[in-house]
Amino acid sequence: MLKCAKLFEKTLILFSCQAGLRRGEIANLQWQDIDFKKAVLSITPKDNWHPKDFEVRHIPLAKQLGNHLKTLKEKAQSLYVLAKQDGRPYTPDELTTLFTRFLKQENVNIPGNIHKLRHTFASLIMQKGGNLYDLSKLMGHSSIKMTEKYSHLGKIKTETTIDRLPSL
């Protein structure tokens, strides 16, 4: 899917799969929210928007996403990372519509919408040995209960962790 994506769609996919961002977070992300030196992306409130649960959160930038954003920033003409021609941000619904259109044009048949890619982020983290507490913080869940639906993906790690115990 990433190979056939143009710059806009690639950005949506990377934000969803490598940072676990919600549609509203993507739509309201500004360049000032990205610290390339520290390799951190921050979800912060704006005058006309606030993160779910009103909490600021910081997400380490995956290398691929960071490199992509550096390239994008060189061409930036707006405060917003993803902006319309006139510099205004997209609405979350517009992002969904554009992404769905992209999937249809490319004959990519995945169930759901852009939000499903946020689940991909969570699944990949857990399959690579992540833990529910860290995943909860990265995804901005107000309760670990929200994150527990990914717990089944971490069982492999739990089982292999026991093998790390030394003999007594």
Side-chain angles (χ1 to χ4, degrees), residues 60-103:
L61 271 179
K63 284 184 182 154
Q64 185 180 11
L65 176 58
N67 290 335
H68 176 76
L69 291 174
K70 284 177 188 172
T71 303
L72 205 60
K73 181 147 174 61
E74 292 171 6
K75 303 171 189 175
Q77 297 180 350
S78 173
L79 232 39
Y80 293 92
V81 177
L82 285 179
K84 299 176 188 178
Q85 292 280 9
D86 63 5
R88 289 182 303 126
Y90 289 95
T91 66
D93 287 342
E94 287 172 324
L95 293 179
T96 296
T97 300
L98 292 168
F99 187 70
T100 302
R101 188 177 300 150
F102 159 72
L103 293 176

Coordinates of all heavy atoms in Angstrom, one line a residue, residues 60-103:
P60 N 8.0 9.2 20.4 CA 9.2 9.2 19.7 C 9.0 8.9 18.2 O 8.1 8.2 17.8 CB 9.9 7.9 20.3 CG 9.3 7.7 21.6 CD 7.9 8.2 21.4
L61 N 9.8 9.7 17.4 CA 9.6 9.5 15.9 C 10.3 8.3 15.4 O 11.5 8.1 15.6 CB 10.3 10.7 15.2 CG 9.5 12.0 15.0 CD1 10.3 13.0 14.3 CD2 8.2 11.7 14.2
A62 N 9.6 7.4 14.8 CA 10.2 6.3 14.1 C 11.1 6.8 13.0 O 10.8 7.9 12.4 CB 9.1 5.4 13.5
K63 N 12.2 6.2 12.7 CA 13.1 6.7 11.7 C 12.5 7.0 10.3 O 12.7 8.0 9.7 CB 14.3 5.7 11.5 CG 15.3 5.8 12.7 CD 16.5 4.9 12.5 CE 17.3 5.1 13.8 NZ 18.1 4.0 14.0
Q64 N 11.7 6.0 9.9 CA 11.1 6.2 8.5 C 10.2 7.4 8.5 O 10.2 8.2 7.6 CB 10.3 5.0 8.1 CG 9.8 5.1 6.7 CD 9.0 3.8 6.3 OE1 8.7 2.9 7.1 NE2 8.7 3.7 5.0
L65 N 9.4 7.6 9.6 CA 8.5 8.7 9.7 C 9.3 10.0 9.8 O 9.0 11.0 9.1 CB 7.5 8.6 10.9 CG 6.6 9.7 11.2 CD1 5.7 10.1 10.0 CD2 5.7 9.4 12.4
G66 N 10.3 10.0 10.6 CA 11.1 11.2 10.8 C 11.8 11.7 9.5 O 11.7 12.8 9.1
N67 N 12.3 10.7 8.7 CA 12.9 11.0 7.4 C 11.9 11.6 6.5 O 12.1 12.5 5.7 CB 13.6 9.8 6.9 CG 14.9 9.5 7.6 OD1 15.5 10.3 8.3 ND2 15.3 8.2 7.6
H68 N 10.7 11.0 6.5 CA 9.7 11.4 5.6 C 9.2 12.8 5.9 O 9.1 13.7 5.0 CB 8.5 10.4 5.7 CG 7.3 10.9 4.9 ND1 7.2 10.7 3.5 CD2 6.1 11.4 5.3 CE1 6.1 11.2 3.1 NE2 5.4 11.6 4.1
L69 N 9.1 13.1 7.2 CA 8.7 14.5 7.6 C 9.7 15.5 7.3 O 9.4 16.7 7.0 CB 8.3 14.5 9.1 CG 7.1 13.7 9.5 CD1 6.9 13.6 11.0 CD2 5.8 14.3 8.8
K70 N 11.0 15.2 7.4 CA 12.1 16.1 7.1 C 11.9 16.5 5.6 O 12.1 17.7 5.3 CB 13.4 15.5 7.4 CG 13.8 15.5 8.8 CD 15.1 14.8 9.0 CE 15.4 14.6 10.5 NZ 16.6 13.8 10.8
T71 N 11.7 15.6 4.7 CA 11.5 15.8 3.3 C 10.3 16.7 3.1 O 10.3 17.6 2.3 CB 11.4 14.5 2.5 OG1 12.5 13.7 2.8 CG2 11.2 14.7 1.1
L72 N 9.2 16.4 3.8 CA 8.0 17.1 3.7 C 8.2 18.6 4.1 O 7.6 19.5 3.5 CB 6.9 16.4 4.5 CG 5.4 16.6 4.1 CD1 5.2 16.1 2.7 CD2 4.6 15.8 5.1
K73 N 8.9 18.8 5.2 CA 9.1 20.1 5.8 C 9.8 21.0 4.8 O 9.5 22.2 4.8 CB 9.9 20.0 7.1 CG 10.1 21.4 7.8 CD 10.1 21.3 9.2 CE 10.4 22.6 9.9 NZ 9.5 23.7 9.7
E74 N 10.7 20.5 4.0 CA 11.4 21.3 3.1 C 10.5 22.0 2.1 O 10.8 23.1 1.6 CB 12.4 20.4 2.3 CG 13.6 19.9 3.1 CD 14.4 18.9 2.4 OE1 14.2 18.7 1.2 OE2 15.3 18.3 3.0
K75 N 9.3 21.4 1.8 CA 8.4 21.9 0.9 C 7.2 22.6 1.6 O 6.3 23.1 1.0 CB 7.8 20.8 0.0 CG 8.8 20.0 -0.7 CD 8.2 18.8 -1.4 CE 9.3 17.9 -1.9 NZ 8.8 16.7 -2.4
A76 N 7.2 22.7 2.9 CA 6.1 23.2 3.7 C 5.8 24.6 3.5 O 6.8 25.5 3.4 CB 6.3 22.9 5.2
Q77 N 4.6 25.0 3.3 CA 4.1 26.4 3.1 C 3.0 26.7 4.1 O 2.3 27.7 3.9 CB 3.7 26.6 1.7 CG 4.8 26.4 0.7 CD 4.4 26.6 -0.7 OE1 3.2 26.8 -1.0 NE2 5.3 26.7 -1.6
S78 N 2.9 25.9 5.1 CA 1.8 26.1 6.0 C 2.3 25.7 7.4 O 3.3 25.0 7.6 CB 0.6 25.2 5.7 OG -0.4 25.2 6.7
L79 N 1.6 26.2 8.4 CA 1.9 25.8 9.8 C 1.6 24.3 10.1 O 2.1 23.7 10.9 CB 1.0 26.6 10.6 CG 0.7 27.4 11.6 CD1 1.6 28.5 11.8 CD2 -0.6 27.7 12.0
Y80 N 0.6 23.8 9.3 CA 0.1 22.5 9.5 C 0.9 21.5 8.6 O 1.3 21.8 7.5 CB -1.4 22.4 9.1 CG -2.3 23.1 10.1 CD1 -2.6 24.4 9.8 CD2 -2.7 22.5 11.2 CE1 -3.4 25.1 10.7 CE2 -3.5 23.2 12.1 CZ -3.8 24.5 11.9 OH -4.6 25.2 12.8
V81 N 1.2 20.4 9.2 CA 1.9 19.3 8.4 C 1.2 18.9 7.2 O 1.7 18.8 6.1 CB 2.3 18.1 9.3 CG1 3.0 17.1 8.6 CG2 3.1 18.6 10.5
L82 N -0.1 18.6 7.3 CA -1.0 18.3 6.2 C -1.9 19.5 6.0 O -2.8 19.7 6.9 CB -1.7 17.0 6.4 CG -0.9 15.7 6.2 CD1 -1.8 14.5 6.4 CD2 -0.2 15.7 4.8
A83 N -1.8 20.2 4.9 CA -2.6 21.4 4.7 C -3.2 21.4 3.3 O -2.6 20.9 2.4 CB -1.8 22.7 5.0
K84 N -4.3 22.1 3.2 CA -4.9 22.3 1.9 C -4.1 23.4 1.1 O -3.2 24.0 1.7 CB -6.3 22.8 2.0 CG -7.2 21.8 2.7 CD -8.6 22.4 2.9 CE -9.5 21.5 3.8 NZ -10.8 22.1 4.1
Q85 N -4.4 23.6 -0.1 CA -3.6 24.6 -0.9 C -3.6 26.0 -0.2 O -2.6 26.7 -0.3 CB -4.3 24.7 -2.3 CG -4.1 23.5 -3.2 CD -2.8 23.5 -3.8 OE1 -1.9 24.2 -3.5 NE2 -2.6 22.5 -4.8
D86 N -4.7 26.3 0.4 CA -4.8 27.7 1.1 C -4.1 27.7 2.5 O -4.2 28.7 3.2 CB -6.2 28.2 1.1 CG -7.1 27.3 2.0 OD1 -6.6 26.3 2.6 OD2 -8.3 27.5 2.0
G87 N -3.5 26.6 2.9 CA -2.8 26.5 4.2 C -3.7 26.1 5.4 O -3.2 25.9 6.4
R88 N -5.0 26.0 5.1 CA -5.9 25.5 6.2 C -5.7 24.0 6.4 O -5.4 23.3 5.5 CB -7.3 25.8 5.9 CG -7.7 27.3 5.9 CD -9.2 27.5 5.6 NE -9.5 27.0 4.3 CZ -10.5 26.1 4.1 NH1 -11.3 25.7 5.1 NH2 -10.8 25.7 2.9
P89 N -6.0 23.5 7.6 CA -5.9 22.1 7.9 C -7.1 21.4 7.3 O -8.1 21.9 7.1 CB -5.8 22.0 9.4 CG -6.6 23.2 9.9 CD -6.3 24.3 8.9
Y90 N -6.9 20.1 7.1 CA -8.0 19.2 6.7 C -8.8 18.9 7.9 O -8.3 18.9 9.0 CB -7.5 17.9 6.1 CG -6.9 18.0 4.7 CD1 -5.5 18.2 4.6 CD2 -7.6 18.0 3.6 CE1 -4.9 18.3 3.3 CE2 -7.1 18.1 2.3 CZ -5.7 18.2 2.2 OH -5.2 18.4 1.0
T91 N -10.0 18.6 7.8 CA -10.8 18.1 8.9 C -10.6 16.6 9.0 O -10.2 15.9 8.0 CB -12.3 18.3 8.7 OG1 -12.8 17.5 7.6 CG2 -12.6 19.8 8.5
P92 N -10.8 16.0 10.1 CA -10.7 14.5 10.2 C -11.6 13.8 9.2 O -11.1 12.8 8.6 CB -11.2 14.2 11.6 CG -10.8 15.4 12.4 CD -11.1 16.6 11.4
D93 N -12.8 14.3 8.9 CA -13.6 13.6 7.9 C -13.1 13.7 6.5 O -13.2 12.8 5.7 CB -15.1 14.2 8.0 CG -15.8 13.7 9.2 OD1 -15.4 12.7 9.8 OD2 -16.8 14.4 9.5
E94 N -12.4 14.9 6.2 CA -11.8 15.0 4.9 C -10.6 14.0 4.7 O -10.4 13.4 3.7 CB -11.3 16.4 4.7 CG -12.4 17.4 4.5 CD -11.9 18.9 4.5 OE1 -11.0 19.2 5.3 OE2 -12.5 19.7 3.7
L95 N -9.9 13.8 5.8 CA -8.8 12.9 5.7 C -9.3 11.5 5.5 O -8.8 10.7 4.6 CB -8.0 12.9 7.1 CG -7.2 14.1 7.4 CD1 -6.5 14.0 8.7 CD2 -6.2 14.5 6.3
T96 N -10.4 11.1 6.1 CA -11.0 9.8 5.9 C -11.5 9.6 4.5 O -11.2 8.6 3.8 CB -12.2 9.6 6.9 OG1 -11.7 9.6 8.2 CG2 -12.9 8.2 6.6
T97 N -12.2 10.7 3.9 CA -12.7 10.6 2.6 C -11.5 10.5 1.6 O -11.6 9.7 0.7 CB -13.5 11.9 2.3 OG1 -14.6 12.0 3.2 CG2 -14.0 11.9 0.8
L98 N -10.5 11.3 1.7 CA -9.4 11.2 0.8 C -8.6 9.9 0.9 O -8.2 9.3 -0.1 CB -8.4 12.4 1.1 CG -8.9 13.8 0.8 CD1 -8.0 14.8 1.4 CD2 -9.1 14.0 -0.7
F99 N -8.5 9.3 2.1 CA -7.8 8.1 2.2 C -8.7 6.9 1.6 O -8.1 6.1 0.9 CB -7.5 7.8 3.7 CG -6.7 6.5 3.9 CD1 -5.4 6.5 3.5 CD2 -7.3 5.4 4.4 CE1 -4.6 5.4 3.7 CE2 -6.5 4.2 4.6 CZ -5.2 4.2 4.2
T100 N -10.0 7.0 1.8 CA -10.9 6.0 1.3 C -10.8 6.0 -0.3 O -10.8 5.0 -0.9 CB -12.3 6.2 1.8 OG1 -12.3 6.1 3.2 CG2 -13.3 5.1 1.2
R101 N -10.8 7.2 -0.8 CA -10.7 7.4 -2.3 C -9.4 6.8 -2.8 O -9.4 6.2 -3.8 CB -10.8 8.9 -2.6 CG -10.9 9.2 -4.1 CD -11.1 10.7 -4.3 NE -12.3 11.2 -3.7 CZ -12.4 12.4 -3.2 NH1 -11.4 13.3 -3.4 NH2 -13.5 12.8 -2.7
F102 N -8.3 7.1 -2.1 CA -7.0 6.5 -2.4 C -7.1 5.0 -2.5 O -6.6 4.3 -3.4 CB -5.9 7.0 -1.5 CG -4.7 6.1 -1.4 CD1 -3.8 6.1 -2.5 CD2 -4.5 5.3 -0.3 CE1 -2.7 5.3 -2.4 CE2 -3.3 4.5 -0.3 CZ -2.5 4.5 -1.3
L103 N -7.7 4.4 -1.5 CA -7.8 2.9 -1.4 C -8.6 2.4 -2.6 O -8.2 1.4 -3.2 CB -8.5 2.4 -0.1 CG -7.7 2.7 1.2 CD1 -8.5 2.3 2.4 CD2 -6.3 2.0 1.1

